[in-house]
Amino acid sequence: MREAKGKRAALGCLVGAAGLLVLGTAGTSALQAQEPEFLLYGGKGQTQFLGCLNCSRFDKSSVWNKLGPHGSEFDEATIWSKTGVYGSQYSSLSPWHRHSTEAPEIRDREGKSYGRFTRNQHGDRTKVESLLWILENYDYVIENLNDVRLEY
């Protein structure tokens, strides 16, 4: 699908891959009803909470909430800060580092692991399709973060 680089096609892929279907104005999605909350933990030993990956963009803990503590592009401790330890493509603790072995881990509220949230395709990378789309389309997501946030 060559046109996936375009804004409309990429957002369509995001919606399709994530299985998102907005129901009403509450921002509730079919995905959220079917999957547990995917919580991201990073740092040494994966003890630093980095936000919820599939929560609504209105949720304070969501990585999609640009006004929340985990969704800002300017806070050093978020996955969206290009210069931060968790957002830089050059930090081994970041999901965006292509060869990281210390990328954040995805867990649900009960502590079950869903693998690592990482662009590194080797090792314990997550198998959750909606999250893989984000990782595999990092360049598009980071360049169009505000548009992508609207889908959550």
Side-chain angles (χ1 to χ4, degrees):
M1 198 163 148
R2 186 79 174 135
E3 196 174 325
K5 296 284 183 192
K7 179 178 173 182
R8 291 184 88 115
L11 285 176
C13 289
L14 174 62
V15 172
L20 296 179
L21 176 66
V22 177
L23 304 172
T25 59
T28 304
S29 72
L31 174 68
Q32 291 167 330
Q34 296 173 0
E35 294 182 332
E37 288 181 343
F38 292 127
L39 308 175
L40 195 61
Y41 291 88
K44 301 286 183 187
Q46 280 68 45
T47 57
Q48 174 70 41
F49 180 63
L50 299 176
C52 179
L53 291 165
N54 64 335
C55 293
S56 162
R57 66 187 157 111
F58 301 108
D59 188 310
K60 182 180 178 183
S61 67
S62 177
V63 299
W64 305 107
N65 183 341
K66 69 180 178 181
L67 301 177
H70 307 292
S72 169
E73 296 168 67
F74 308 106
D75 188 322
E76 288 294 307
T78 72
I79 63 170
W80 305 123
S81 172
K82 293 178 187 177
T83 58
V85 68
Y86 302 112
S88 168
Q89 293 183 64
Y90 308 105
S91 171
S92 64
L93 298 176
S94 170
W96 316 125
H97 186 288
R98 289 189 180 274
H99 305 290
S100 176
T101 57
E102 300 178 291
E105 181 181 11
I106 304 161
R107 297 184 212 139
D108 63 19
R109 293 221 178 261
E110 282 72 47
K112 178 182 176 186
S113 177
Y114 291 85
R116 300 231 182 216
F117 188 64
T118 180
R119 291 175 78 190
N120 184 349
Q121 296 183 14
H122 305 287
D124 189 25
R125 184 180 189 193
T126 187
K127 306 283 189 268
V128 178
E129 279 190 46
S130 57
L131 303 179
L132 287 173
W133 188 93
I134 298 165
L135 294 166
E136 291 169 359
N137 292 282
Y138 166 77
D139 293 326
Y140 176 83
V141 171
I142 203 69
E143 285 182 29
N144 300 281
L145 188 54
N146 285 328
D147 290 337
V148 174
R149 279 184 172 126
L150 294 176
E151 296 300 318
Y152 280 86

